[in-house]
Amino acid sequence: MESKERNYILLVLLHIALGIVVFIVPFISKIYCLLIIIGGFFYVIKNKNKNNEVLIVSAYIVGIEVFLRMTGGNILYEFSKYGVIFFLIVGMYYSGFSKYAVPYWIFLLLLIPGIIVATETLNLGTDIRKPIAFNISGPVCLGIASLYTYNRKILFSSLNSILLSLSLPVITITVYLILYTPSIKDVITGTGSNYESSGGFGPNQVSTILGIGMFVFFSRFLLESKSKLLFIINLIIVFNISYRGLTTFSRGGMITGLVMIIVLIFFLNRRIKYHGKVKLNFLILLMSILLIFVWIYSSNQTGGLIEKRYANQDASGRVKESRFTGREEIAENEFQDFLESPIFGIGVAKGIELRYEQTGLITASHNEISRMMSEHGTLGIIALLIIFITPIILYIDNAQNIYMFCFLIFWLLTINHAAMRIAAPAFVYSLTLLKVQIDD
């Protein structure tokens, strides 16, 4: 057994053990959060970021975020976004950043007017700092991460290591979910998103991180399974992540993961020669059979309710009036806010305040596009266009980043159903800007 293979198996086992230990002794989660910060800092300082260690550490923080939230381990609720920002600034101190990253300086500057407007429009009784930080931390995290990754040269193998660092905590989450809800049949009673099968935490966020984990381990199954043992291990991991993702009954994350897989297969088929395609197509066929089996098994365990969920039906088979569980109403309100304040918007976090005044409920936006339009106005639209167009332009001279469109799609689809409540869409987006060189 090669050392690389042995290390991979050891990492998988350690993250399985972490899920078990935290389930038994939840307080360990807080200690682990501190260890990540301290250990990550010394790891970066010791190596002086010579091999982009800050991306490894940041990726791990992004992957562990949902687990720390569901187990009460976070020092701050937005710890992951602040952690990513901190480590990437440290990385820029050691390794600098591209002088051509002007689009992301402009992007960050475009966020400022919305913050200024918020200080004028938010009610005097509102604690201004918290709502502004909650809404702006995601875009700021994206901007800082993009400044660091813009046209930064990296080997394809290093990119896979970054993705592994992001996805190892997904194994821990999956183990925790298995222990938290050993029998799915006992907790599934309807077709709504299920907190019991999501570890008692938000199904949307859990589904999102499980979706990216499913994609990463699928890619490792295709590209990194260089022995029968790794082949079997990755197959088992993909099965368990996919099953637990489906049974959260939150569709966004799993659909996003599946679309990413389809896009990856498309780009792999374009790059690989004939003999490689034969092997690739065999692996794809095998994985397709596995995913079909996961769906059938999930349907059996949920009494067919999973099929009704994805068909937008209630438990009785009636089609629901809303396909997006009322989120389209929030988006419509935000579009109306944009029409009323089209230049600078209504101000960061003002949308939540207005909805509270109208309905008496605190409802945060699930859609980052409509939120940016509402709270930042036309400047928000320009900022979104910068984010969307820049990686596509860079791809013209960066075709070896076969994951680029997968990452871009993850960001785009995730911000449409989960906004930027977790750090994953911001960080994964920044990986689209890396200048990748194939080394294997």
Side-chain angles (χ1 to χ4, degrees), residues 23-281:
F23 180 78
I24 297 170
V25 188
F27 184 73
I28 296 293
S29 182
K30 291 186 181 296
I31 298 173
Y32 193 65
C33 181
L34 289 171
L35 288 175
I36 292 169
I37 300 169
I38 297 169
F41 185 71
F42 278 105
Y43 175 58
V44 172
I45 298 299
K46 179 185 176 182
N47 295 284
K48 296 184 178 179
N49 199 44
K50 291 177 181 177
N51 296 302
N52 293 303
E53 283 80 7
V54 290
L55 288 178
I56 296 288
V57 176
S58 297
Y60 194 82
I61 290 173
V62 168
I64 203 73
E65 178 180 17
V66 170
F67 180 70
L68 292 178
R69 283 186 178 181
M70 70 166 56
T71 56
N74 269 341
I75 299 171
L76 298 169
Y77 190 76
E78 298 291 353
F79 153 73
S80 292
K81 293 171 190 170
Y82 297 146
V84 169
I85 291 170
F86 169 74
F87 277 104
L88 291 178
I89 288 175
V90 171
M92 284 187 266
Y93 169 77
Y94 281 113
S95 309
F97 54 87
S98 173
K99 63 182 178 181
Y100 299 109
V102 176
Y104 295 96
W105 286 115
I106 295 172
F107 169 78
L108 289 169
L109 290 172
L110 288 172
L111 299 176
I112 295 174
I115 299 174
I116 296 172
V117 171
T119 62
E120 298 293 328
T121 59
L122 288 173
N123 292 336
L124 293 176
T126 301
D127 181 357
I128 292 177
R129 183 186 62 82
K130 288 183 179 179
I132 289 179
F134 176 79
N135 283 275
I136 207 69
S137 58
V140 170
C141 181
L142 184 149
I144 298 296
S146 298
L147 286 175
Y148 180 84
T149 58
Y150 189 92
N151 246 355
R152 186 173 295 274
K153 292 180 180 179
I154 192 169
L155 295 175
F156 183 69
S157 58
S158 298
L159 179 55
N160 276 327
S161 296
I162 293 166
L163 292 178
L164 177 61
S165 182
L166 187 152
S167 59
L168 281 170
V170 180
I171 296 175
T172 302
I173 293 171
T174 305
V175 170
Y176 186 86
L177 293 178
I178 291 170
L179 296 173
Y180 190 93
T181 317
S183 175
I184 292 296
K185 287 182 178 180
D186 295 339
V187 299
I188 301 297
T189 56
T191 60
S193 297
N194 195 291
Y195 280 78
E196 284 296 313
S197 62
S198 303
F201 189 65
N204 202 3
Q205 295 179 30
V206 175
S207 170
T208 297
I209 205 66
L210 290 176
I212 186 71
M214 180 179 74
F215 164 77
V216 172
F217 283 106
F218 177 87
S219 70
R220 294 192 69 83
F221 172 77
L222 291 183
L223 305 173
E224 297 287 327
S225 298
K226 297 180 180 179
S227 71
K228 290 181 180 179
L229 181 58
L230 290 183
F231 183 88
I232 293 169
I233 289 172
N234 288 325
L235 206 62
I236 292 171
I237 292 173
V238 171
F239 171 82
N240 280 283
I241 291 176
S242 303
Y243 171 60
R244 284 289 160 172
L246 282 173
T247 53
T248 63
F249 275 64
S250 181
R251 296 165 291 188
M254 301 313 293
I255 292 173
T256 299
L258 182 60
V259 173
M260 292 173 74
I261 286 171
I262 293 169
V263 172
L264 176 63
I265 290 170
F266 172 77
F267 280 96
L268 282 174
N269 263 307
R270 287 187 60 188
R271 291 192 62 87
I272 293 177
K273 296 179 181 179
Y274 174 75
H275 293 293
K277 284 185 179 180
V278 173
K279 182 180 178 182
L280 176 66
N281 290 334

Side-chain angles (χ1 to χ4, degrees), residues 110 338 342 369 372-373 376-386:
L110 288 172
F338 167 73
I369 295 175
M372 287 284 286
M373 289 176 59
H376 296 271
T378 302
L379 299 183
I381 295 176
I382 296 171
L384 288 168
L385 288 174
I386 288 172

Side-chain angles (χ1 to χ4, degrees), residues 269-310:
N269 263 307
R270 287 187 60 188
R271 291 192 62 87
I272 293 177
K273 296 179 181 179
Y274 174 75
H275 293 293
K277 284 185 179 180
V278 173
K279 182 180 178 182
L280 176 66
N281 290 334
F282 169 74
L283 292 174
I284 291 169
L285 176 63
L286 186 63
M287 186 55 73
S288 298
I289 293 170
L290 174 73
L291 293 177
I292 291 170
F293 177 72
V294 171
W295 178 263
I296 294 171
Y297 183 71
S298 301
S299 178
N300 175 264
Q301 292 297 301
T302 61
L305 290 177
I306 192 67
E307 295 166 354
K308 292 178 180 178
R309 171 61 172 169
Y310 279 79

